[in-house]
Amino acid sequence: MRGIKLVTVGSAGKSAGCSPTGIVGRCLVRELVESGERVRVVAEADQLGDWPAAVEVVEGSIARCEGISGAFDGVDGIFLAGAQAATAGRVLEAARGAGVERIVLLSSHGAEHEAAYPPETWFWLAIERAVESAGMAWTHIRPSAVMGAVLEGTYPATGSDWAESIAAENTVREAFLEMGHYPFIHERDLAAVAATALCRDGYEGMLLEAVGFPLSTRSRLRDIADVLGRDITAVELTPAESRAAWRARGWPEDGIDVTLFALEEYGVHFDELTRWTAGQRPTVPDLIGRPMHTYRDWVAEHAALFGSVPDRARHHRA
């Protein structure tokens, strides 16, 4: 009999590179259950709801190593999300001791930038190195920003207040409105990449780039306007104004810094970064066996978030 697949879920975090582990984890668990896998979830207290009935849910924290005694029993593979550099070694030691064979890590592109700095400053790269040295088969996934991050209030800051401002006044206010670009992946596509790495052989020792193409801020607004069937007013802010607005909403400085940097960087180097995304092997469609969902798809699924449930899409200029 195949072992249990363990999915770990942390509380939402706004720091740079933090993916919405609850949103992605629920998509992954549904996919695993539908494919016949036995699934256990270790989730923080605020993430205990909305899991399929067939799933065993354990309240605990992978980040703090609390409440996880016995969580690895019978497990052969772990989707490790929400790990912390300070405690990852202890988690991995316990997993190896329980006979876990495979770790699929939800990492961040922050790891590649940390490589230029001393090891004592690493966070994401420290977790990757801990996984690599833990004595189990491993796969790292470095994703784009996740479209559903806004549902959980996680990184990035761009677009984080759009649902509220569009619902209230059909208006968005943000920096780099004209030149800004950001890469996004649908949470179901990221979850499908994770399921592939967790359940299929051939991806051991690999870094999988689960990346979507850079989307312009204007194109995201057009997709929202088209789906809702109404105009959206866009007001360009200075970076300092966006920083102040995000800070007032509880965003930490590192999350703001990286969001503003990426909006500008992907705009300036759009062609180069688009070629880099297209050149990744295996591609996300290769990994999941189907085309990727678009941002427009995501907006259509969550139109109510923006204050409307449209019965048809019309074309409007954002």
Side-chain angles (χ1 to χ4, degrees):
M1 179 181 292
R2 290 179 297 185
I4 297 167
K5 299 298 186 287
L6 179 66
V7 175
T8 71
V9 175
S11 296
K14 288 180 165 60
S15 294
C18 286
S19 295
T21 62
I23 301 297
V24 175
R26 286 172 177 82
C27 292
L28 172 58
V29 165
R30 285 193 291 271
E31 183 154 336
L32 293 174
V33 169
E34 288 170 3
S35 65
E37 297 287 347
R38 293 184 295 155
V39 182
R40 180 180 298 146
V41 173
V42 171
E44 300 268 5
D46 58 350
Q47 294 279 10
L48 294 176
D50 194 30
W51 298 99
V55 173
E56 178 188 358
V57 181
V58 177
E59 182 177 350
S61 172
I62 288 295
R64 298 187 301 275
C65 295
E66 295 176 357
I68 61 173
S69 177
F72 303 119
D73 294 346
V75 170
D76 64 6
I78 301 175
F79 177 65
L80 183 60
Q84 294 289 312
T87 56
R90 290 160 55 196
V91 169
L92 294 163
E93 183 178 359
R96 183 181 58 206
V100 174
E101 300 170 351
R102 179 176 301 185
I103 302 289
V104 175
L105 173 67
L106 182 61
S107 186
S108 163
H109 284 98
E112 64 187 81
H113 299 290
E114 291 172 353
Y117 297 92
E120 59 268 21
T121 67
W122 294 351
F123 178 81
W124 296 106
L125 193 55
I127 299 172
E128 289 189 357
R129 293 292 184 265
V131 170
E132 291 165 14
S133 62
M136 294 168 281
W138 59 267
T139 306
H140 300 328
I141 300 176
R142 293 181 184 171
S144 300
V146 179
M147 295 177 191
V150 65
L151 301 174
E152 201 167 305
T154 59
Y155 178 85
T158 178
S160 60
D161 62 347
W162 289 6
E164 179 181 318
S165 64
I166 290 172
E169 52 183 336
N170 283 326
T171 300
V172 301
R173 299 171 179 84
E174 192 163 298
F176 300 116
L177 192 63
E178 297 304 327
M179 67 169 293
H181 287 69
Y182 220 101
F184 283 89
I185 186 170
H186 195 293
E187 50 267 29
R188 289 207 300 274
D189 294 337
L190 176 52
V193 170
T196 296
L198 194 58
C199 299
R200 299 181 190 172
D201 294 329
Y203 302 100
E204 298 84 358
M206 290 183 65
L207 167 62
L208 301 180
E209 298 280 1
V211 291
F213 286 96
L215 303 177
S216 72
T217 303
R218 281 291 186 183
S219 74
R220 289 156 60 201
L221 293 175
R222 279 195 299 270
D223 283 343
I224 296 170
D226 286 349
V227 169
L228 299 184
R230 63 179 191 254
D231 291 318
I232 295 174
T233 300
V235 178
E236 174 121 18
L237 301 182
T238 66
E241 289 170 335
S242 261
R243 178 181 296 277
W246 288 332
R247 186 187 290 140
R249 295 175 63 87
W251 284 88
E253 294 303 316
D254 70 323
I256 296 173
D257 288 342
V258 177
T259 298
L260 289 172
F261 172 80
L263 281 169
E264 184 175 21
E265 185 77 359
Y266 274 96
V268 171
H269 300 288
F270 173 78
D271 291 340
E272 175 187 342
L273 291 169
T274 297
R275 287 194 298 271
W276 176 85
T277 302
Q280 295 305 310
R281 295 293 182 273
T283 66
V284 173
D286 288 340
L287 289 164
I288 66 179
R290 57 169 173 77
M292 298 171 69
H293 292 88
T294 66
Y295 187 74
R296 186 190 180 100
D297 293 333
W298 187 91
V299 174
E301 294 163 11
H302 298 282
L305 196 67
F306 302 93
S308 176
V309 182
D311 54 10
R312 67 187 181 91
R314 296 180 305 204
H315 292 283
H316 284 262
R317 185 181 303 276

